[in-house]
Amino acid sequence: MQIDGNNSPPNQKSKPNFLRRVLSVLVKAVVLLILLFVFDKLLPSLSEQTQSFVMAKWQQLSLLQQELPIENSLPSPLPEQHLTDTWGAARSQGRSHEGIDIFAARGTPIQATTQGIVSKVGEDALGGRVVMIVGPGGAGHYYAHLEDYADISPNDWVNAGDIIGYVGDSGNAKGTPPHVHYGIYINGSAVNPYPLLQKD
């Protein structure tokens, strides 16, 4: 009778294979947990930035579904100040004024005229320190010549009446009486904000 040396009891072969599979699953689970820990602990700012960006895009889509501002629908960015229609006035280099100027003491808080998403907080060659907010209907609300910014950043959500900055004379307004230049852009084109603002 011939004995085959390759025959061994079945449970001896299956035990090492089973242990190998369990060990492999455990190693993969540990590696996954380590990666999750690293992502959660060492990269929280990336996670927050991603969430902030996604939330801003969602809010922007909902804003686009809303109506554009209509006549006398927006509060003034400087509620206590007199409004004058300076739209279209001549400016340097053959430009015309694409907004209105509202004068006030330096440092007067500037209020958002609408709810929306902050799309820019930064410097601009002509406007100096500027803030841009995308509001209902996708209209851009532009505030220029600020002395300083409020505590806001791009992708932040603001409501009408929130402080976004302070009156100054930055940019090409240097040396002029402090004011805020307020402009509205619809589909990339400037429109006169004066008729859209509420008057006392």
Side-chain angles (χ1 to χ4, degrees):
M1 177 171 159
Q2 207 172 18
I3 298 175
D4 189 348
N6 291 332
N7 286 342
S8 56
N11 63 343
Q12 284 183 347
K13 247 189 188 176
S14 61
K15 252 188 184 175
N17 284 340
F18 174 75
L19 289 174
R20 214 174 286 128
R21 281 197 298 261
V22 168
L23 191 59
S24 172
V25 167
L26 285 174
V27 167
K28 287 176 185 173
V30 168
V31 168
L32 183 60
L33 286 172
I34 290 170
L35 288 174
L36 288 172
F37 176 81
V38 167
F39 183 76
D40 186 52
K41 297 296 178 193
L42 301 180
L43 303 173
S45 63
L46 179 62
S47 175
E48 287 168 18
Q49 288 172 2
T50 303
Q51 288 173 6
S52 174
F53 176 78
V54 169
M55 180 62 78
K57 289 302 170 194
W58 176 259
Q59 290 169 329
Q60 200 167 15
L61 284 173
S62 92
L63 283 171
L64 289 173
Q65 307 305 313
Q66 298 176 27
E67 296 296 319
L68 287 164
I70 59 171
E71 196 168 320
N72 295 316
S73 67
L74 300 173
S76 172
L78 298 174
E80 303 300 314
Q81 306 304 317
H82 177 71
L83 297 179
T84 304
D85 189 354
T86 56
W87 169 265
R91 290 294 185 263
S92 62
Q93 301 166 345
R95 296 176 299 113
S96 63
H97 197 216
E98 293 188 343
I100 65 170
D101 291 335
I102 309 169
F103 294 86
R106 184 180 305 278
T108 301
I110 301 164
Q111 298 180 10
T113 60
T114 181
Q115 66 176 2
I117 298 166
V118 177
S119 64
K120 179 175 182 175
V121 177
E123 299 281 332
D124 182 291
L126 295 175
R129 294 182 191 93
V130 304
V131 171
M132 178 72 93
I133 295 169
V134 178
H141 299 260
Y142 176 73
Y143 308 81
H145 308 312
L146 279 60
E147 178 76 10
D148 202 359
Y149 310 106
D151 185 18
I152 57 171
S153 304
N155 295 328
D156 283 354
W157 177 267
V158 295
N159 291 306
D162 287 353
I163 306 301
I164 53 138
Y166 303 90
V167 170
D169 65 347
S170 59
N172 69 349
K174 205 68 179 160
T176 66
H179 65 280
V180 63
H181 167 97
Y182 176 59
I184 296 179
Y185 294 83
I186 296 174
N187 296 325
S189 298
V191 299
N192 187 353
Y194 184 78
L196 306 177
L197 291 169
Q198 299 163 2
K199 285 81 175 176
D200 294 333

